[in-house]
Amino acid sequence: MKIKHALLYLFVLLLFWQCNNPQTEILQSPQPLLGVTSQRGMVVSAREEASKIGRDIMQQGGNAFDAMVATEMALAVCYPNAGNLGGGGFMVYRTHKGEVGALDYREKAPLLASKDMYLDQNNTYLRDKSKTGGLAVGVPGTIAGIFKAHHKFGSLPIQTILRPVILLAKNGFKITEKQAAQLNNYSAVIKKTNKENSLYTKKFKPGDVFVNKALAATLQEISNKGRSAFYQGDIAKTLVRFLQKNGGIISLKDLENYQAIWREPIIFNYKDLRIISMSPPSSGGICLAQILKTTANFPIASYGHNTTKTTQVLVEAQRRAYADRSHYLGDPDFIDIPVDSLLSDAYLKKRMESFSFQGATPSHQIKHGNLLAPESKETTHYSIVDSYGNAIAVTTTLNASFGSKLYSKELGFFLNNEMDDFSAKPGAPNLFGLIGADANAIAPQKRMLSSMTPTLIERDNKLWMTLGTPGGSTIITSVLQTILNVYEFNMSMQQAVDAPRFHHQWLPDVVRVEATSFDTKTIKSLESKGYVVDYKNPSIIGKVDAILVLPDGSFEAGADKRGDDTAVGF
Ligand code: GLY
């Protein structure tokens, strides 16, 4: 163990030396080998502004949980396609005392929701209704989530935490190149959904300053009056009026009833790592555990990173885990989930009996399915560590980019389309091509199944890594590969996050690889073994934001190069 640590330390020193020594330019790749490092604390999120606000809160004496509230709300301002007040999320935490836990602030189906609400009289699935407009919206959980986290662990007053966020909304932030392209891409559908112009229906160019006064006022009201402003007060009334005008069914009673819930996280071992990840209603922790526990039976380090054999092991483990996801997983407050059986070594070994390196196990031999829908997946993840020893991993979402596309001009925020994460009709794929069953059928007040996988990892009883990502159904497999990249393939945190990724989710029976970066030799070799490989899809797989604790106790960030993601440390 000690030798392994010493080797890792030497490796990291070498990387530092390579990055800082002008004589060694020849050794440097175009991407930095090592991410941003810091000594005392770090925030890695989808936007520099949000990471800075989280860092500033910690520098004012706040802890990681105060920084969580600030970062979450700052993302709602400057990353409005996924950061939110109108969505929900999950947090996994580890305190300086080593206590671990999870917070579920996932959206819920409204009281008036019903199993067949997206089917017409001929049992035809009205796909658009669960994706766009008022009926797609689940009861938002984010404000309940941040207040629950703050109540238990926060140390600074909520007004202090929200002050810089309100200023960000009031004074504006600069639109990046990627963001301008995305905003312009969505402006037509936002206009069509809302039947009116708004801040989001303009033409944008990089460098434009985006100001949202309505959102600043909403945040000010929450800062002054607390959680109840959103769930009972004027914001609640405005929100319900707006949703009902747009075909929604969320009532004041729904908002009043909403509660974020502390959950026991999923905890399991991978070799000498202790992994703490999100429990249902997210499938993330269970699927990650199934795939990693299966992978532990194969010497993938000796096969090599993204080689045919490693890819085969991971794809076959993913195929089987996603088949189980579809059948067994849903809201634990509504169904019994056989967690122990799903994670038992004997069961996982048995599941892989049909696997051979000779060729693919076709998914139809396990179950049947349908094709992926083309809509983009927008969620966002941030990781925070503080100088007191607390660490958090938070993934939050509106589901699709800009959620249901419904934007309240009065309140300044978008509403989620999380209802699409339910199984609207058995066998019908959702936005992410995921097939569901009864376990994830719609019911009033039920939480829809998620793939979000905020994860913390301990090694030798100490914090080792915090990570997570957006990406819908690809979240689980992106988290998986990032962990293995560091642990099995000796990459730095930044390299692990940037490395090319692939994904398989049982149905459709396709290995999706990142088109521009995945090795063509591996693709050909996989095809020769009967795998259908999609290397034409231009979309990225995940945008992982992670922090690794280095052997000397300092932090290294992995801020995914695929987005505007930025690490800010101190
Ligand atoms: N809305 C994506 C997920 O929760 O998995």
Side-chain angles (χ1 to χ4, degrees):
M1 213 35 265
K2 289 220 161 84
I3 293 175
K4 248 186 160 178
H5 261 163
L7 284 175
L8 183 64
Y9 190 61
L10 273 176
F11 170 74
V12 168
L13 279 180
L14 179 66
L15 292 178
F16 265 124
W17 183 72
Q18 284 174 358
C19 291
N20 294 326
N21 188 340
Q23 305 295 314
T24 59
E25 264 172 26
I26 197 141
L27 291 176
Q28 292 187 21
S29 68
Q31 285 303 319
L33 292 173
L34 202 66
V36 170
T37 56
S38 73
Q39 297 298 321
R40 300 186 52 215
M42 178 97 80
V43 184
V44 198
S45 81
R47 289 289 301 215
E48 185 177 357
E49 295 84 346
S51 296
K52 276 190 173 154
I53 284 179
R55 185 270 320 264
D56 291 349
I57 287 294
M58 290 195 283
Q59 279 189 318
Q60 284 175 45
N63 61 26
F65 299 95
D66 297 317
M68 175 252 179
V69 174
T71 307
E72 178 99 15
M73 289 297 98
L75 286 167
V77 175
C78 62
Y79 197 64
N81 51 312
N84 65 81
L85 276 71
F90 297 107
M91 170 176 77
V92 174
Y93 69 84
R94 183 182 188 276
T95 68
H96 62 282
K97 295 183 192 145
E99 295 155 350
V100 297
L103 180 62
D104 162 4
Y105 53 100
R106 181 72 160 163
E107 301 91 325
K108 291 176 80 164
L111 284 158
L112 286 177
S114 60
K115 189 171 178 184
D116 296 338
M117 63 188 277
Y118 300 116
L119 306 183
D120 69 8
Q121 61 276 32
N122 303 317
N123 212 27
T124 304
Y125 174 25
L126 307 169
R127 287 173 195 284
D128 198 45
K129 291 232 178 283
S130 66
K131 294 175 179 60
T132 316
L135 209 56
V137 184
V139 184
T142 296
I143 296 300
I146 59 168
F147 275 91
K148 194 115 181 161
H150 183 259
H151 181 72
K152 185 162 175 161
F153 293 115
S155 66
L156 295 179
I158 206 86
Q159 293 82 357
T160 307
I161 298 172
L162 290 183
R163 194 172 303 128
V165 181
I166 295 166
L167 285 177
L168 183 69
K170 248 189 206 157
N171 298 337
F173 60 91
K174 274 201 181 138
I175 290 177
T176 65
E177 198 173 329
K178 287 186 175 123
Q179 194 170 32
Q182 192 194 38
L183 285 166
N184 291 335
N185 207 11
Y186 279 90
S187 60
V189 65
I190 291 169
K191 181 164 180 185
K192 187 168 163 222
T193 306
N194 291 283
K195 299 181 202 76
E196 61 181 0
N197 280 316
S198 71
L199 282 178
Y200 287 93
T201 58
K202 297 178 181 151
K203 262 257 163 285
F204 295 96
K205 54 182 188 328
D208 284 353
V209 175
F210 192 99
V211 171
N212 189 339
K213 293 229 160 85
L215 183 53
T218 298
L219 288 165
Q220 189 63 62
E221 178 84 354
I222 292 169
S223 175
N224 295 344
K225 299 192 178 146
R227 179 197 188 281
S228 62
F230 189 91
Y231 288 99
Q232 285 156 327
D234 287 346
I235 299 172
K237 288 179 196 128
T238 307
L239 184 57
V240 167
R241 219 175 28 243
F242 171 73
L243 282 170
Q244 294 188 347
K245 191 178 111 201
N246 284 285
I249 52 173
I250 289 177
S251 63
L252 278 172
K253 190 103 200 112
D254 280 309
L255 290 176
E256 218 175 285
N257 281 353
Y258 186 87
Q259 294 295 336
I261 299 176
W262 294 110
R263 303 259 185 211
E264 286 300 317
I266 296 290
I267 302 179
F268 63 97
N269 291 322
Y270 175 74
K271 301 187 180 175
D272 67 333
L273 302 181
R274 181 172 181 255
I275 300 185
I276 302 122
S277 190
M278 195 61 218
S279 42
S282 180
S283 60
I286 290 180
C287 289
L288 182 67
Q290 286 193 310
I291 301 168
L292 276 173
K293 279 162 79 81
T294 302
T295 305
N297 297 321
F298 297 84
I300 59 163
S302 72
Y303 302 159
H305 177 248
N306 281 1
T307 56
T308 306
K309 280 181 92 171
T310 297
T311 310
Q312 276 187 283
V313 170
L314 296 183
V315 161
E316 295 299 344
Q318 289 167 15
R319 188 196 305 281
R320 287 155 177 82
Y322 277 82
D324 281 350
R325 176 195 194 279
S326 165
H327 187 74
Y328 291 109
L329 304 189
D331 183 345
D333 297 339
F334 282 70
I335 58 158
D336 286 328
I337 301 176
V339 179
D340 292 343
S341 307
L342 287 169
L343 300 189
S344 94
D345 293 336
Y347 171 74
L348 293 171
K349 272 214 166 100
K350 201 162 169 43
R351 287 287 276 167
M352 283 298 267
E353 275 173 3
S354 52
F355 164 63
S356 146
F357 281 111
Q358 299 306 312
T361 317
S363 286
H364 68 79
Q365 282 180 9
I366 303 174
K367 270 184 189 177
H368 300 277
N370 284 300
L371 285 176
L372 264 172
E375 168 90 49
S376 84
K377 316 123 184 58
E378 281 297 345
T379 294
T380 191
H381 176 87
Y382 55 95
S383 293
I384 304 180
V385 288
D386 68 19
S387 56
Y388 308 106
N390 303 300
I392 61 162
V394 181
T395 315
T396 179
T397 190
L398 288 165
N399 195 24
S401 246
F402 303 100
S404 63
K405 319 302 186 262
L406 262 193
Y407 173 72
S408 164
K409 273 166 71 161
E410 243 178 301
L411 298 172
F413 62 86
F414 283 93
L415 277 308
N416 70 81
N417 64 343
E418 219 70 64
M419 290 297 285
D420 191 65
D421 269 347
F422 278 118
S423 169
K425 181 180 177 182
N430 74 357
L431 200 57
F432 308 113
L434 291 166
I435 311 290
D438 261 2
N440 188 32
I442 305 170
Q445 300 283 283
K446 191 175 174 182
R447 283 161 151 93
M448 52 298 278
L449 185 61
S450 170
S451 300
M452 292 192 277
T453 314
T455 298
L456 298 172
I457 306 179
E458 292 174 1
R459 196 172 192 179
D460 299 332
N461 297 320
K462 293 193 199 108
L463 180 73
W464 183 64
M465 190 187 285
T466 157
L467 81 165
T469 180
S473 54
T474 69
I475 289 175
I476 299 162
T477 53
S478 299
V479 168
L480 164 83
Q481 289 166 79
T482 307
I483 297 169
L484 293 175
N485 287 349
V486 176
Y487 187 84
E488 297 286 1
F489 303 114
N490 296 321
M491 294 186 198
S492 71
M493 193 72 260
Q494 186 63 49
Q495 287 175 314
V497 156
D498 288 343
R501 289 193 273 266
F502 59 90
H503 171 75
H504 194 289
Q505 61 178 44
W506 172 53
L507 295 171
D509 190 353
V510 172
V511 186
R512 227 186 94 203
V513 301
E514 286 185 305
T516 53
S517 52
F518 208 83
D519 184 29
T520 40
K521 266 206 295 220
T522 311
I523 294 171
K524 292 224 161 15
S525 163
L526 288 168
E527 285 178 331
S528 74
K529 289 177 182 294
Y531 291 91
V532 178
V533 184
D534 176 4
Y535 49 87
K536 299 220 167 111
N537 188 336
S539 16
I540 56 164
I541 299 181
K543 262 191 252 171
V544 178
D545 283 341
I547 301 170
L548 179 69
V549 183
L550 298 176
D552 67 354
S554 62
F555 306 115
E556 189 215 356
D560 205 312
K561 67 174 183 183
R562 294 163 180 83
D564 292 320
D565 304 46
T566 308
V568 179
F570 67 105

